[in-house]
Amino acid sequence: MLITIDNLLTLDELAATRDLLARSRWGSGLATAGTQAALAKNNQQLTEDAEHLPTLRHLVLNALNRNPLFFAATLPLKILPPFFNRYADQTNTYDWHIDNAMRLAPHPPGTYVRADISATLFLSDPENYDGGELTIEDTFGSHPIKLAAGSLVIYPSSSLHAVTPVTRGERLACFMFIQSMVRDPGQRRLLYDMDMALLALRNDIGETDPVIRLTGTYHNLLRRWAEN
Ligand SMILES: O=C(O)CCC(=O)C(=O)O
Ligand SMILES: [Fe+2]
């Protein structure tokens, strides 16, 4: 399931994010790449000791946590602290890869986040760079994604994806990995569809007895499938 969320960041948050990134130094994207990803990855990334990284992470996590669509689509259990990347120099790119399944969490020490869902938050205006499409493959084909600054795409971490070379300008983004309460993408999809249909029904006809019963069924399915 590939879902976009427009305007995850407010204009003020987007401006603050860009300002902090403009005052940051970029390191090699290879810092968080495994051996296979290292062959595909040619971009830049904020290093873990970057001065503004805690503020940037706080800003993005705050925007995710207040967004009901993000919650409904991901059912987040754990979110790895977001990373920030940059593609520029007319060459940066990220070739086809699948994200690692398990990522070491900063705390508690020795624990892992299972990447069920990957997400990219676009931070540059699309007209200011060429290329840089995040291309995601699923059973329905290949989907090139290039969103307005401040908008987010989420997709299953199990999908093959790539970022095409940025041949003009710079592409700034924040990328993240989420462990869902519901591990299975098919079950997650059913819950999301049901949640959205219930939302529409509630708006159309209000909290009628069948709507209350169906909402109960949503929660009972979640109770059956959720893990923590
Ligand atoms: O830059 C992006 O949009 C995606 C980055 C990515 O796929 C990764 O870091 O694993
Ligand atoms: Fe990736």
Side-chain angles (χ1 to χ4, degrees):
M1 179 165 71
L2 198 158
I3 292 177
T4 61
I5 301 179
D6 293 336
N7 306 315
L8 180 86
L9 298 185
T10 64
L11 288 178
D12 284 350
E13 288 169 336
L14 179 60
T17 304
R18 286 166 160 177
D19 177 55
L20 291 170
L21 289 177
R23 293 192 279 121
S24 298
R25 269 218 335 270
W26 295 92
S28 166
L30 296 179
T32 56
T35 35
Q36 197 180 51
L39 298 173
K41 196 172 183 183
N42 169 20
N43 66 0
Q44 303 160 49
Q45 197 166 308
L46 279 200
T47 52
E48 284 302 301
D49 60 359
E51 183 190 349
H52 301 302
L53 191 55
T55 313
L56 287 159
R57 284 179 162 164
H58 180 77
L59 205 148
V60 171
L61 288 171
N62 184 48
L64 294 176
N65 285 333
R66 69 168 180 238
N67 192 289
L69 190 54
F70 176 78
F71 185 89
T74 64
L75 298 168
L77 182 64
K78 299 183 200 171
I79 306 178
L80 203 67
F83 303 102
F84 292 81
N85 66 16
R86 175 176 189 260
Y87 300 73
D89 303 338
Q90 296 172 14
T91 53
N92 282 165
T93 183
Y94 199 157
D95 215 343
W96 293 104
H97 66 282
I98 288 182
D99 296 328
N100 282 359
M102 305 301 293
R103 304 234 172 200
L104 205 52
H107 40 247
T111 61
Y112 286 83
V113 171
R114 188 186 64 231
D116 295 320
I117 299 166
S118 301
T120 292
L121 171 61
F122 288 77
L123 296 170
S124 298
D125 294 315
E127 56 276 18
N128 290 344
Y129 63 97
D130 289 336
E133 279 96 2
L134 170 60
T135 308
I136 302 163
E137 220 175 74
D138 66 13
T139 47
F140 295 104
S142 204
H143 309 277
I145 313 276
K146 188 168 180 174
L147 299 181
S151 296
L152 179 85
V153 61
I154 65 170
Y155 57 99
S157 301
S158 53
S159 27
L160 202 57
H161 58 282
V163 177
T164 60
V166 171
T167 53
R168 179 186 64 89
E170 76 169 358
R171 173 196 191 270
L172 301 178
C174 169
F175 64 102
M176 52 216 123
F177 304 103
I178 298 138
Q179 179 170 340
S180 178
M181 296 175 221
V182 176
R183 173 190 208 141
D184 180 78
Q187 291 174 338
R188 232 172 23 241
R189 168 86 211 219
L190 283 174
L191 288 170
Y192 176 73
D193 287 345
M194 193 171 178
D195 197 5
M196 290 301 107
L198 277 166
L199 196 66
L201 214 50
R202 220 173 272 127
N203 276 336
D204 286 353
I205 63 172
E207 296 283 3
T208 61
D209 180 66
V211 171
I212 289 168
R213 286 171 192 276
L214 270 178
T215 306
T217 305
Y218 170 89
H219 284 285
N220 290 337
L221 284 173
L222 183 55
R223 210 183 316 280
R224 184 171 276 247
W225 292 336
E227 44 178 61
N228 62 14

